[in-house]
Amino acid sequence: MNKAPLLEGLLRYKNEENLILSMPGNKSGKAFLKDKLGEVFKDSLGDLDITEVDPLDNLHNPEGIIREAQELLAKTYKVKKAYFLVNGSSGGNLAAIFSAFNEGDEVLVERNCHKSIYNGLILRKLKVVYIDTVIDENLGIFLPPREEEILRALNKANNPKGIILTSPNYFGISSDIEDVIKKLKDIGLKVIIDSAHGAHFGFNERLPKSMAKLGDYVVVSAHKTLPSLTQGAFLLVNNNCDNVEFYLRAFMTTSPSYLIMASLDYARYYLDNYAREDYKNLIEVAENYTEKINSLNKVYIVSEKEVKSGYTIDKSRYLMIVKDGFSGHKLLDYLREKNIQSEMSFSKGVVLILSPSNTIEDFEKIYLAIKELNLNTLKNNESTMEFINSYPEKILEPYEIFNLKDREINLNEAINKISKDFIVPYPPGIPIVCPGEKITCEIIKIINEYINNGLSVIGINNNKIKVVDN
């Protein structure tokens, strides 16, 4: 029994010497080697794991070096206040929701928001008006809502108090929402933006605009794209609501990791000193290899001209698409065999998160892997499914069904029942039914089509579904 399975598994993975094109942004410590300060930090991780002793300040009542570090962070992002988060964007999303809204408030929310947002809606007991999803069927991905989808949701609302948006999305795609956000603020709505994948935005002209100054609360995951340890994130605040600090203390541990906080300080320091030039160089190399990889005519890396008008793509990541009849999930597996770790796969491709710490050799490794790819190994037996463009009626709010009894019944017997869980088909990964919504004949037909074509549907187990027991 003398085993340490988790530690031993991590060490085995380390010994594979994979090219990390997934989170975290520190790329297994490689990004800390930018300069002497980062190098010493990386080499001293064990020594720096400490608690709130006298000279090192306290995250829950910062008066010294942590306060100074957070003030520098606010200057970097040009916001009123900024806070370190040691439990990822999730804690920031919860603190923002509780700070911005009171129980019973009505809010507009993207249907494909992060799970932590849904958790916040339930915990804060908010009424929800969902914003319609935009689908790019050519690429097989969902896109952020545009002004028209946001205003359509606004018109459905009775007395909205705010809006929660995700920008960019998981594919690194943003929509131009600056004008509509100004309109929403003018009529008194509070704006929360989950910008988890956009911590690096705005620090080079070739990157999309930063969301930092647009929302009342903007949450960014430093650990996703910057040299920060996993769980490191920032909450950026542009209003004068003092209770946000109470909620931060409520949702974060009283024993915050100094390793994570120190890495967040380094991530901000990196943005101030190196990001502009580094991202310029990264994007130049990435675009050069985009041409080389696309010329192989096996996969193609999406550029801005291939997404719908009004959208911007993050040039510091690869959205790599396979041809019709081939599988993005199998592409991820193939790259893994080549010791290239993708961030995620979807039906038609994979996402690779690049970093300024990537070398020419790293890009050459990607190129050679695609050059050696036998497309026959990626053949897809799954049928292509159409995306749903309309969603069921909401009968109860998500928080209202949370404590209601449920029962599990056969899917085909669920007509006009109220769903207790999310039902999420992959692709595209967007809930076609949310908790509290009525299940219709059309929805059951669509779910059956997904299942019969061998596609994954979260929320359906052995053709059974959980519904509210009434």
Side-chain angles (χ1 to χ4, degrees):
M1 296 296 293
N2 295 323
K3 293 182 68 177
L6 174 58
L7 176 57
E8 290 170 10
L10 281 170
L11 292 173
R12 283 194 300 272
Y13 186 85
K14 172 184 177 293
N15 291 335
E16 291 176 5
E17 298 183 349
N18 295 299
L19 171 56
I20 303 299
L21 299 177
S22 63
M23 297 183 279
N26 71 66
K27 305 302 180 185
S28 299
K30 186 177 177 182
F32 293 128
L33 303 179
K34 177 66 182 178
D35 61 10
K36 189 65 177 177
L37 180 64
E39 190 176 331
V40 171
F41 171 66
K42 181 178 181 295
D43 290 343
S44 305
L45 288 177
D47 300 322
L48 300 180
D49 190 11
I50 190 67
T51 190
E52 296 92 341
V53 291
D54 282 342
L56 297 181
D57 209 357
N58 187 318
L59 181 62
H60 289 278
N61 185 33
E63 297 177 325
I65 56 176
I66 295 176
R67 179 178 178 176
E68 181 183 359
Q70 292 187 147
E71 287 173 348
L72 288 170
L73 177 63
K75 289 180 180 178
T76 295
Y77 281 101
K78 299 180 175 61
V79 296
K80 287 186 178 180
K81 290 184 179 180
Y83 301 92
F84 288 165
L85 304 171
V86 296
N87 57 341
S89 285
S90 296
N93 285 334
L94 291 172
I97 288 170
F98 272 72
S99 178
F101 305 120
N102 295 313
E103 285 191 10
D105 282 352
E106 185 180 48
V107 295
L108 314 181
V109 183
E110 285 188 54
R111 197 171 185 90
N112 53 307
C113 64
H114 189 262
K115 185 176 181 180
S116 62
I117 299 293
Y118 277 114
N119 292 342
L121 299 175
I122 293 170
L123 290 169
R124 197 50 163 164
K125 297 184 177 179
L126 299 178
K127 299 174 182 176
V128 181
V129 177
Y130 292 113
I131 304 169
D132 292 339
T133 300
V134 181
I135 299 292
D136 189 319
E137 296 195 15
N138 290 328
L139 299 178
I141 61 175
F142 55 85
L143 301 173
R146 300 158 296 191
E147 181 170 349
E148 59 191 88
E149 285 81 29
I150 293 170
L151 294 180
R152 191 182 304 136
L154 181 65
N155 290 332
K156 293 179 185 176
N158 295 312
N159 184 26
K161 300 297 184 182
I163 184 170
I164 305 173
L165 295 167
T166 304
S167 185
N169 67 7
Y170 310 124
F171 303 103
I173 298 175
S174 313
S175 60
D176 185 3
I177 54 174
E178 190 167 352
D179 289 342
V180 72
I181 285 178
K182 288 177 181 177
K183 292 176 184 177
L184 297 175
K185 284 185 172 181
D186 286 344
I187 61 173
L189 268 65
K190 291 183 179 177
V191 178
I192 296 174
I193 304 176
D194 178 355
S195 190
H197 285 265
H200 58 305
F201 280 17
F203 289 93
N204 179 276
E205 297 80 359
R206 303 290 309 280
L207 291 169
K209 290 181 181 178
S210 173
M211 297 286 114
K213 295 176 67 176
L214 289 183
D216 294 289
Y217 306 85
V218 180
V219 184
V220 296
S221 283
H223 75 94
K224 284 181 168 59
T225 57
L226 300 180
S228 164
L229 295 178
T230 298
Q231 293 183 218
F234 303 135
L235 174 61
L236 312 175
V237 179
N238 292 299
N239 64 22
N240 297 314
C241 190
D242 293 332
N243 67 8
V244 69
E245 294 183 4
F246 167 80
Y247 290 115
L248 282 171
R249 291 193 294 270
F251 289 115
M252 283 203 295
T253 175
T254 55
S255 301
S257 165
Y258 271 85
L259 297 178
I260 294 175
M261 288 190 289
S263 74
L264 288 171
D265 199 25
Y266 184 81
R268 188 274 315 157
Y269 161 88
Y270 172 84
L271 289 173
D272 285 347
N273 290 283
Y274 303 115
R276 181 168 182 164
E277 186 66 21
D278 280 6
Y279 276 100
K280 172 180 176 291
N281 295 334
L282 170 65
I283 292 169
E284 285 178 357
V285 175
E287 289 182 334
N288 178 41
Y289 272 87
T290 292
E291 290 185 17
K292 292 181 65 174
I293 291 168
N294 287 352
S295 70
L296 295 172
N297 200 31
K298 294 186 176 182
V299 300
Y300 74 92
I301 295 166
V302 176
S303 65
E304 213 158 275
K305 64 185 179 183
E306 279 130 7
V307 297
K308 291 184 177 183
S309 175
Y311 289 98
T312 303
I313 197 164
D314 180 4
K315 296 181 176 67
S316 70
R317 67 177 61 196
Y318 279 165
L319 181 54
M320 187 177 284
I321 303 292
V322 296
K323 298 176 182 179
D324 289 343
F326 298 90
S327 168
H329 304 302
K330 290 182 179 180
L331 176 59
L332 180 144
D333 293 338
Y334 168 76
L335 292 173
R336 180 78 179 84
E337 291 170 6
K338 292 290 187 178
N339 295 109
I340 297 172
Q341 181 63 66
S342 306
E343 166 61 18
M344 61 175 279
S345 64
F346 54 102
S347 180
K348 296 189 70 172
V350 299
V351 176
L352 307 177
I353 299 179
L354 308 175
S355 164
S357 62
N358 287 129
T359 62
I360 294 292
E361 290 74 20
D362 294 339
F363 282 96
E364 192 67 19
K365 184 171 184 176
I366 302 169
Y367 170 76
L368 290 174
I370 300 302
K371 186 177 181 180
E372 295 167 4
L373 170 63
N374 178 356
L375 278 175
N376 289 327
T377 63
L378 305 187
K379 279 189 175 177
N380 188 6
N381 297 322
E382 299 172 356
S383 300
T384 301
M385 299 293 297
E386 291 186 8
F387 295 114
I388 184 172
N389 290 313
S390 61
Y391 295 97
E393 178 186 4
K394 185 185 66 172
I395 305 300
L396 297 170
E397 300 295 342
Y399 78 86
E400 290 178 316
I401 64 101
F402 185 72
N403 288 320
L404 295 180
K405 290 183 179 179
D406 62 75
R407 59 192 175 101
E408 197 172 57
I409 63 174
N410 187 279
L411 174 62
N412 293 322
E413 298 173 356
I415 298 172
N416 293 329
K417 301 294 184 182
I418 298 172
S419 179
K420 184 71 187 285
D421 285 340
F422 294 102
I423 301 175
V424 188
Y426 282 87
I430 300 166
I432 60 170
V433 181
C434 290
E437 291 183 332
K438 183 190 286 187
I439 301 163
T440 63
C441 289
E442 181 190 6
I443 290 294
I444 291 173
K445 179 183 176 183
I446 291 168
I447 293 171
N448 278 324
E449 286 179 358
Y450 272 96
I451 293 171
N452 292 337
N453 282 281
L455 301 181
S456 173
V457 182
I458 292 176
I460 305 296
N461 297 303
N462 296 320
N463 217 44
K464 293 186 179 296
I465 182 173
K466 281 187 180 180
V467 298
V468 174
D469 190 7
N470 51 15

